[in-house]
Amino acid sequence: MPGRSLKLGFSHDYWTMGAKMPFLWHPDSVPHLLISGITGGGKSVCAQYILNQLLDTSAEISIADFKAGGDWDGIVPDYGEYLECDEILKDFYNSFLAAIRGKEHHEKYLLFDEFSSYALSKDTKGFKELMGMVSHVAFMGRSFGYHLILISQQFNAKVIDTAIREQFGVKLYMGSTISTESAAMLFPNCQIDKASHLPAHCGYISIPEKELDIIQMPYIAEPRRLKDLLAAKGCRRQGG
């Protein structure tokens, strides 16, 4: 669907004034998204907030959850956790190759939780194969409607090198504080006062329109209810 936009969260500056000014992600023009952050910082809620919107569309969604933490199971049929992530990724990539060969355009998303841990669990050969697939989709996915949403506590240059990182036009870091390494990786051209503490449910965001801003996520009193909502939507999509 041309022109799709998804809310990522809201401008903290406007939020403090009682207004809701959303940050928007336009996958057609900015195909890929990185979400990072400390444990409990809100990265899973942020990703679920985005997935909730995608489930209202006709987009095809695959989910790989290397940490197998219970945030993503039971939502879409194309789901795998821990060692099953290999199959989810390969199926997504093979579909991408088929789209290239057939000169087809789809709308497909791969949401991958704890991607860095998954990548670093690979031996040298497996890591090289993984990075080859990710790089290929990162560079060419936009032309064929394939999108990556990679989530991890921390991304570093070994997992996501500079060339790949530059293909991710939207980058988020959820949490009150950010490490020097994460700041350099996600927001390399920005000065962040790492001694400052952001308010609860906030983080940093970089979008094509602005290299650095503060994003505010809505407070979710009962995160389990959001997961249940996602599962119910997924069931309806499957005709259940």
Side-chain angles (χ1 to χ4, degrees):
M1 177 180 176
R4 188 181 305 290
S5 63
L6 301 166
K7 292 180 182 178
L8 300 170
F10 300 89
S11 165
H12 175 67
D13 289 342
Y14 280 90
W15 188 276
T16 59
M17 296 185 291
K20 292 185 177 181
M21 177 67 71
F23 291 109
L24 297 177
W25 176 29
H26 304 282
D28 286 348
S29 56
V30 184
H32 313 302
L33 170 66
L34 285 181
I35 302 176
S36 186
I38 59 175
T39 300
K43 60 183 180 294
S44 291
V45 169
C46 177
Q48 288 178 333
Y49 182 70
I50 297 166
L51 180 60
N52 181 47
Q53 298 167 73
L54 281 175
L55 289 170
D56 290 330
T57 74
S58 59
E60 296 181 51
I61 303 164
S62 302
I63 299 177
D65 181 11
F66 186 67
K67 71 178 181 181
D71 292 326
W72 306 106
D73 59 306
I75 299 173
V76 297
D78 195 13
Y79 168 81
E81 57 187 38
Y82 198 50
L83 298 180
E84 298 166 347
C85 293
D86 290 342
E87 183 178 354
I88 297 298
L89 175 59
K90 288 177 181 177
D91 286 349
F92 182 83
Y93 185 65
N94 287 337
S95 172
F96 172 63
L97 294 179
I100 294 175
R101 288 192 294 268
K103 297 181 172 58
E104 301 166 347
H105 190 280
H106 303 285
E107 188 180 13
K108 294 194 176 189
Y109 293 80
L110 172 63
L111 186 153
F112 205 125
D113 200 355
E114 276 311 321
F115 178 79
S116 291
S117 296
Y118 172 76
L120 295 174
S121 73
K122 298 293 184 182
D123 60 19
T124 301
K125 179 182 177 182
F127 183 83
K128 184 177 180 180
E129 291 175 349
L130 169 63
M131 287 300 106
M133 289 187 283
V134 170
S135 176
H136 197 184
V137 177
F139 278 90
M140 294 184 61
R142 177 175 177 269
S143 298
F144 301 93
Y146 283 72
H147 308 276
L148 299 171
I149 302 174
L150 304 185
I151 309 166
S152 190
Q153 289 189 41
Q154 184 169 300
F155 291 100
N156 58 43
K158 179 179 179 181
V159 174
I160 300 289
D161 65 26
T162 301
I164 296 176
R165 181 192 64 198
E166 290 177 349
Q167 304 308 309
F168 287 77
V170 178
K171 295 177 283 290
L172 289 141
Y173 183 93
M174 299 304 303
S176 60
T177 60
I178 186 170
S179 68
T180 299
E181 185 174 18
S182 291
M185 176 66 197
L186 298 171
F187 315 108
N189 302 317
C190 304
Q191 295 295 320
I192 298 177
D193 180 5
K194 289 176 281 294
S196 67
H197 287 250
L198 297 181
H201 320 299
C202 288
Y204 296 102
I205 183 171
S206 175
I207 55 178
E209 297 87 345
K210 192 170 185 181
E211 283 193 319
L212 186 69
D213 212 327
I214 298 177
I215 187 170
Q216 172 83 50
M217 295 303 300
Y219 172 60
I220 307 294
E222 298 180 60
R224 183 68 202 183
R225 293 185 64 182
L226 176 56
K227 165 67 185 303
D228 291 343
L229 171 65
L230 299 178
K233 281 190 175 184
C235 183
R236 287 197 294 271
R237 276 169 58 103
Q238 298 169 51

